[in-house]
Every structure is written in C-alpha cells, then in structure tokens.
Amino acid sequence: MSALLFEEPLKKVTAEVQEYVRMLGQTYRGLVRGPYYRHDIVDQFDAIGVQSMTVVLLTGFFTGAVLALQSGQTLDQFGARPVVGRLVSASMVKELGPVLTGLMLSGRIGSGIAAELGSMMVTDQINALRALGTDPIRKLVVPRILAGFFMAPVLTVIADFVGILGGWIVARFQLQVSSGVYWSSILQGLYMQDIWMGIIKPFVLGFVIVSIACHVGLRTKGGTQGVGRSTTNSVVAGSVAVIAVDFFITRILFSVLY
Amino acid sequence: MLQAPEEPVIKFEHVRLSFDDNVVLKDVSFTLPRGHTKLILGASGSGKSTILKIITGLLRADSGAVIVNGHRVDQMSEQEMMPVRADLGMIFQEGALFDSLTVRENVGYKLYEESAMPIDEAHRRVEEVLGFVGMAEFIDRMPSALSGGQRRRVAIARSMAFKPGVLLYDEATTGLDPITATTINEEVVKLRDLEEVSSIVVTHQLRDAFFVADNMARRNHDGSVEILEAPPSKQDEACFLMLREGVIVFEGNAAALRASNDPYIRNFLS
C-alpha cells in the first residue's frame, strides 16, 4: 500500500530529473556546436546581469549594514567591536553575498525566465520556432545559461563590495569604529581561500538557477494557469536549490581549498 | 533525396499515435499530391491538428510511416528534421507570433536568423509577402497591436516568406468574423494557385473549407488578382478528409462530401 502511495510521485520526480538532464545534455551540445545566436546572448547578459544590478545593490548594502549593526552589539559583550569589519567581510564574501545574490536572482530572473518560456510554450511559439528551423535550446536556453553562469559572479562581487560598504557606514557612524580600524580588520581577516570560495560559488548558483528556470518554463502546460504555476515552481525550486547547493559546494570547497 | 515529380509531397501510411491511454490517431493513411489541397475536417479532439504536428516533426507517431518530400520523417531526429522543415510552412492556431518581435522581424525571422540571405534582400522579401497578404502598412507594429485576423495574416506571411512548397494551416480562421475569415481563405487560395503551394487545411469551419475547395485565384494582365469559382477539374484537386475519433470516416471531393449519406457526416454538415 505504502509502495503504491509513493509510486506516482517517484515516477514524476524521476521523469523531471530525466528531462532536466536531457535539457542539460542538449545545452552542452548547443554550447560546443553552433549555430550561436549572438544577439540573444548579448540581450540576456543585459537582462540577467545589468538589469539585476539595482536589486543586488540594495540587498547587498542593507545586508552588510544590518550585519554590522547586529554583530556590533554582540561583539561589544567581548570587547571586540573593532573586529566588526572582519566579521562583515568574511560573512559577506564567503556566504551571504553568493547566497543572497542567488536568492535575489532566483526571484527576479528565475520567475522571469519561467514565465517567458512558459508563455511561449502555451501559445505555440516554441513549436513555431521549431517549425521555422530553430532549435529552442540553442536560441533560448544557451544564451540564458551563459548569462546566468557569467553574470552571477559579477553581481556577487558587487553585492560583497556594497555590503562591506554598508557595514562600514554603520561601523563608522553608529558603532563609532574608525575607518582605518574597519578596513584594516577586513584586510587582516580575509584570506585568499575565502575570496576563491566567494567567487566559485556564484558560478554554480547562477547555472543552477537559470537551468532550473529554463527547464520549468519549457515543461509548462495548461494555459495561463500553467504559466503561473511554472513561475511559482521556478522560484521555489531555484531558491531551495540555492540553499542546498550552497551547502554542498561549501563542503567540497572546504576540503579542497583549506 | 531527389523526388520524382509525380510522387506525393506528403504520405501517411497506417499512422497511429496515443498519449498514455488516449488514442489520438488510430490508423490514418492518405497522400497529398503536389499542388493539391487536403481539407481535414472533424470535431474538436478528433486528431486534426495532431496530423500537422506529425508532418512537421513536432510530434512523433507511435507506428506507421510519414513521408514528406521523400523523407521518412517519423524516424528522424530533431536535427535531421531541420532541412525537411525548410520546405514546410505552418500557420498555428492563434498565429503563434513572437511577442517580442515586430511584424517585420516575425515575418523575416527565418530569413534573418536561419539563412545566409543578404539583409537588403531579406527586407525586400518581407515587404513583398506582407504586401501579398495586405499587411504592408503594419510592418513596424508589435503583434500585441494587431487584431486576431491581422495576426493570422502575418502568420501566413511568416510561413510563406521562405517560399516553402507545402503550407499547413491549423484552424487559421477559427474565432474570426466571416469577413476576416474570407480574407484568410482568399490568401490560402492565392498561395495555392499563384505560388503553386501544396496545402493541408485543418478546420472545423465547413464554410471556409468549401470556399477553399470551390474557388480559384487568377492573376489578370494588369497584375490584379481575381478570386472566382473553380472549374470541376480544379475543384477535384481539393480533397476532403473527415476524421472521427482518430479514424478517417470520409475521403473525397466536395461534391462527394455533399452527397454523402453517412449519418455522422450529414450531422456534421448540417
């Protein structure tokens, strides 16, 4: 009885994973062998990278600021207020920068991609592309995955920087820590391994967010209701994947880098 | 593969397709000779649109053979289908225009993106086909700014821009008012008779199907195009095919369809 209960959901999950892996295989073939749609690649770098700047700047800045505010109180208990910069920078660069940027991208980019591709599915535009001799993977998925893969690290570095900047403003004007102490504690506390970890993670997270969104979008069925469902699924799956993948990469990078 | 002129452009042999327990096509066989028209009638869900999707390789038959221009498309991969699709134009239900592109970019999509045609030549071809369907003045509009009938005409222009030998119309007039539907039907007739395109027209609108079967287009000496009643020999080039629950229940010309005593067909015609 219990086996039967799990049979259908298991079949569905297996089919989804199979289709996702198949899409990744087709994407790989599209990456190594043309045709390449250069205009679409440039457009997606703009849509995913440049147009996500505002949300990433705001998120990074306020996260750094609130981190300094909260940790300043706690550090006071140990008389360690001057090392607030070290705490902010380590947290932002290693963990909060990549994860929060990933979550923001999942909300902004993941939902957008799933809704756009989902609408194209239910209005036969994807079939029209195929009928006109265009491979939708090469035309729609490859440019988005390239943009997600390369722009997520750029956005993360920007989020890290403005986060540290936000922390400095709080440290300087609220916690009364001098600028020199704040910035020197950052330089002393940040190691090369931390920077590598902060750079490598967003490559993987960008790829995961966009590939999930493309997969969900291209599997859309059921008219406008289906598009809504796909958009929600993309954000939920993308956000959970960001947190889960972050844990596993952190574990791997710890054993490789440190 | 070179094809003999007398060979049919499309041939279905005992095609069957099902989705899980739902059998969409049971045992469908027909041929479309070059330059002829096949009018596929049937109620919603009878498998009409599925036939077009199988021809273009958007769906794959479970069994049977599907031959398009001499190629066995039911055994081809997506990549192998691309050259076959170069001779197939398809007009989807609701048009399926690309929302993010202008009318010009939609119509010239294949020329701009998938061919080596010089840009000026592609522009000229786009303007020519938009003129053919009477949409030249809408060239810079976005699809969202067009009416339903205009979208279908742009979709027809898009499918004919690269000069395919076969055009597949999937419910091209459904949901349109009679005047706009007649305009679309005239485009179908003009493409068939002036551009020598073989066509499959899927519809459940009897009026539109009979219009395409009973009329022909002729270009006058002054270049104007006239739609007039076709002679019986020309009418015989339009073959009706009626589907019922995935099975062909009638195949023949307009006169034979009108004369049929089959209760289902009588009911459908009434």
Side-chain angles (χ1 to χ4, degrees):
Chain A
M1 181 66 191
S2 61
L4 280 174
L5 202 67
F6 291 113
E7 194 180 324
E8 275 306 306
L10 269 174
K11 271 185 187 170
K12 274 188 184 169
V13 169
T14 311
E16 284 297 322
V17 172
Q18 183 183 317
E19 286 302 315
Y20 178 68
V21 172
R22 189 201 297 240
M23 187 200 77
L24 293 184
Q26 290 170 334
T27 305
Y28 174 74
R29 280 194 292 278
L31 277 168
V32 294
R33 207 171 48 218
Y36 303 104
Y37 297 90
R38 289 182 180 80
H39 287 301
D40 295 278
I41 293 172
V42 173
D43 283 350
Q44 288 309 318
F45 269 76
D46 177 54
I48 292 177
V50 180
Q51 291 179 32
S52 300
M53 204 71 89
T54 313
V55 68
V56 166
L57 282 173
L58 289 170
T59 310
F61 180 83
F62 286 111
T63 303
V66 80
L67 195 62
L69 208 56
Q70 291 278 17
S71 54
Q73 296 249 331
T74 312
L75 289 171
D76 261 355
Q77 295 171 15
F78 307 99
R81 188 185 279 194
V83 296
V84 66
R86 188 171 175 168
L87 196 143
V88 169
S89 66
S91 307
M92 283 304 295
V93 171
K94 286 203 288 186
E95 204 54 58
L96 290 176
V99 170
L100 288 178
T101 304
L103 290 174
M104 288 300 117
L105 284 180
S106 180
R108 207 191 91 82
I109 301 304
S111 60
I113 290 174
E116 188 182 2
L117 300 191
S119 302
M120 290 183 79
M121 274 302 286
V122 299
T123 55
D124 263 340
Q125 290 179 54
I126 300 283
N127 276 338
L129 270 181
R130 291 172 64 200
L132 286 164
T134 297
D135 177 0
I137 298 289
R138 285 182 167 86
K139 171 86 178 162
L140 302 171
V141 177
V142 169
R144 283 165 176 77
I145 286 187
L146 278 176
F149 184 76
F150 287 110
M151 290 313 286
V154 174
L155 292 167
T156 301
V157 169
I158 292 167
D160 291 345
F161 178 72
V162 293
I164 292 168
L165 205 64
W168 169 72
I169 290 170
V170 169
R172 176 70 190 84
F173 298 104
Q174 178 85 28
L175 304 175
Q176 307 301 326
V177 174
S178 76
S179 297
V181 170
Y182 181 83
W183 291 110
S184 62
S185 79
I186 287 175
L187 291 176
Q188 284 164 8
L190 212 56
Y191 297 99
M192 206 56 213
Q193 289 93 326
D194 301 338
I195 293 170
W196 276 120
M197 183 176 276
I199 296 282
I200 293 168
K201 272 185 189 180
F203 277 107
V204 184
L205 296 181
F207 171 80
V208 168
I209 292 162
V210 177
S211 60
I212 287 176
C214 288
H215 165 73
V216 173
L218 290 176
R219 299 270 291 165
T220 303
K221 286 179 207 157
T224 48
Q225 215 175 18
V227 175
R229 216 169 22 239
S230 286
T231 310
T232 309
N233 289 345
S234 168
V235 175
V236 172
S239 304
V240 172
V242 164
I243 307 286
V245 169
D246 174 61
F247 169 76
F248 290 110
I249 314 171
T250 305
R251 183 69 197 82
I252 293 166
L253 290 178
F254 262 129
S255 55
V256 174
L257 294 174
Y258 293 89
Chain B
M1 189 193 297
L2 282 176
Q3 196 194 5
E6 68 276 9
E7 279 285 300
V9 279
I10 292 171
K11 193 172 183 182
F12 261 51
E13 287 177 350
H14 306 293
V15 171
R16 181 188 164 88
L17 176 70
S18 60
F19 298 111
D20 298 325
D21 297 333
N22 179 26
V23 182
V24 183
L25 298 178
K26 282 180 186 154
D27 181 14
V28 174
S29 301
F30 68 87
T31 55
L32 175 69
R34 189 168 298 279
H36 286 213
T37 304
K38 188 75 73 183
L39 297 137
I40 304 181
L41 300 173
S44 296
S46 57
K48 307 185 298 292
S49 301
T50 306
I51 289 178
L52 301 189
K53 287 186 174 166
I54 289 175
I55 292 169
T56 45
L58 301 176
L59 287 175
R60 189 179 289 250
D62 294 337
S63 62
V66 181
I67 297 154
V68 177
N69 282 328
H71 300 278
R72 184 85 192 265
V73 299
D74 57 291
Q75 294 177 338
M76 284 182 165
S77 68
E78 182 76 5
Q79 284 309 308
E80 289 168 336
M81 269 307 292
M82 293 302 183
V84 179
R85 287 176 183 151
D87 197 43
L88 296 173
M90 182 157 172
I91 294 94
F92 289 84
Q93 287 180 27
E94 311 294 335
L97 299 180
F98 305 128
D99 295 328
S100 56
L101 305 181
T102 63
V103 167
R104 177 195 291 279
E105 290 162 342
N106 262 285
V107 173
Y109 177 83
K110 194 172 173 93
L111 308 179
Y112 298 134
E113 295 276 358
E114 303 292 344
S115 80
M117 186 182 274
I119 196 86
D120 289 341
E121 203 179 318
H123 282 334
R124 273 198 300 278
R125 177 64 186 157
V126 169
E127 286 157 16
E128 185 189 341
V129 290
L130 278 172
F132 188 85
V133 298
M135 291 291 293
E137 67 267 39
F138 299 96
I139 194 163
D140 292 319
R141 292 256 184 105
M142 296 304 286
S144 55
L146 302 177
S147 69
Q150 289 168 338
R151 291 170 71 93
R152 307 287 171 91
R153 281 152 73 189
V154 172
I156 292 174
R158 180 175 70 181
S159 64
M160 63 180 278
F162 54 96
K163 298 184 179 173
V166 185
L167 276 177
L168 311 168
Y169 302 88
D170 188 5
E171 308 269 14
T173 56
T174 301
L176 300 180
D177 63 88
I179 296 168
T180 312
T182 303
T183 312
I184 302 287
N185 293 331
E186 287 176 354
E187 303 304 339
V188 177
V189 172
K190 278 159 63 182
L191 279 166
R192 179 190 63 197
D193 299 335
L194 305 179
E195 306 280 322
E196 295 172 350
V197 173
S198 315
S199 342
I200 296 184
V201 180
V202 159
T203 183
H204 59 255
Q205 315 271 68
L206 284 171
R207 177 186 166 278
D208 300 329
F210 282 118
F211 184 96
V212 172
D214 295 342
N215 291 283
M216 62 174 280
R218 186 177 66 190
R219 196 183 295 279
N220 296 321
H221 294 302
D222 62 356
S224 64
V225 175
E226 193 180 359
I227 304 288
L228 62 164
E229 192 177 336
S233 61
K234 180 74 182 168
Q235 287 187 12
D236 284 345
E237 290 181 5
C239 175
F240 283 81
L241 193 149
M242 185 169 282
L243 279 176
R244 184 185 181 187
E245 293 169 4
V247 177
I248 294 174
V249 291
F250 173 85
E251 191 169 9
N253 63 15
L257 182 67
R258 286 188 179 104
S260 172
N261 289 320
D262 183 280
Y264 179 78
I265 295 171
R266 295 296 335 149
N267 190 28
F268 196 90
L269 293 179
S270 65

